[in-house]
Amino acid sequence: MTAGRKNCLSCDRAIQGRSDKKFCNDSCRNLHHNKRKMPATACVRHINRVLLRNRRILQGLFTSSRQTIKTPKKKLEEQRFDFRYFTHQSSNRRGQRCVFCYEFGYRVLKDVVMVSRAMRSNE
Ligand SMILES: [Zn+2]
């Protein structure tokens, strides 16, 4: 084994050629970098999925032209609404703190949730 000879960081095969190379070829380099990025990507995907499901559940409440719907918290949880994830928070005109999932704003009042759509988010 010659001094300074290294193995590919991706496939662990001995690297031929220049001693400063870290990978045997571009596909090994890409594979290695994609692997490193994966946990972050998976996290973003997971959160996006949860947020979009939350939004779909809220959207499903608005079957009429009403702007505000009162619904049991349990009903949302049964549909796997995840209260840990939301897009932003804001106060409404009455100074009440609202949690948002995109264009839907809601307030949890004990067992019921007041949901409004297209509420101004003061941004
Ligand atoms: Zn390789």
Side-chain angles (χ1 to χ4, degrees):
M1 204 164 158
T2 53
R5 186 156 170 201
K6 286 190 284 188
N7 293 332
C8 173
L9 290 178
S10 183
C11 70
D12 205 39
R13 279 184 304 208
I15 296 173
Q16 309 295 320
R18 278 181 10 237
S19 63
D20 60 332
K21 279 171 77 176
K22 291 179 186 162
F23 305 96
C24 41
N25 54 40
D26 284 344
S27 74
C28 275
R29 184 198 317 279
N30 292 338
L31 203 66
H32 182 75
H33 290 303
N34 287 345
K35 257 186 220 159
R36 283 176 56 205
K37 261 188 287 179
M38 217 126 75
T41 309
C43 180
V44 170
R45 278 211 201 108
H46 170 72
I47 293 171
N48 284 348
R49 245 196 319 268
V50 174
L51 286 174
L52 290 173
R53 183 174 61 224
N54 281 356
R55 181 177 181 272
R56 201 166 53 234
I57 293 166
L58 295 178
Q59 201 166 31
L61 298 171
F62 292 90
T63 49
S64 67
S65 59
R66 292 181 61 180
Q67 289 300 301
T68 302
I69 302 276
K70 193 171 166 183
T71 188
K73 191 180 179 191
K74 213 174 164 185
K75 191 183 156 191
L76 296 180
E77 284 166 344
E78 278 166 6
Q79 294 179 81
R80 288 169 62 223
F81 188 94
D82 195 332
F83 287 94
R84 295 172 302 170
Y85 296 88
F86 50 88
T87 56
H88 56 297
Q89 292 185 38
S90 189
S91 297
N92 64 16
R93 275 165 288 159
R94 279 166 282 179
Q96 297 162 322
R97 205 81 185 141
C98 276
V99 178
F100 284 81
C101 181
Y102 299 98
E103 76 271 39
F104 297 96
Y106 61 88
R107 292 195 303 128
V108 181
L109 313 162
K110 271 190 168 184
D111 302 335
V112 294
V113 184
M114 299 291 294
V115 188
S116 302
R117 62 177 163 186
M119 204 188 260
R120 292 295 298 272
S121 61
N122 299 336
E123 279 178 355

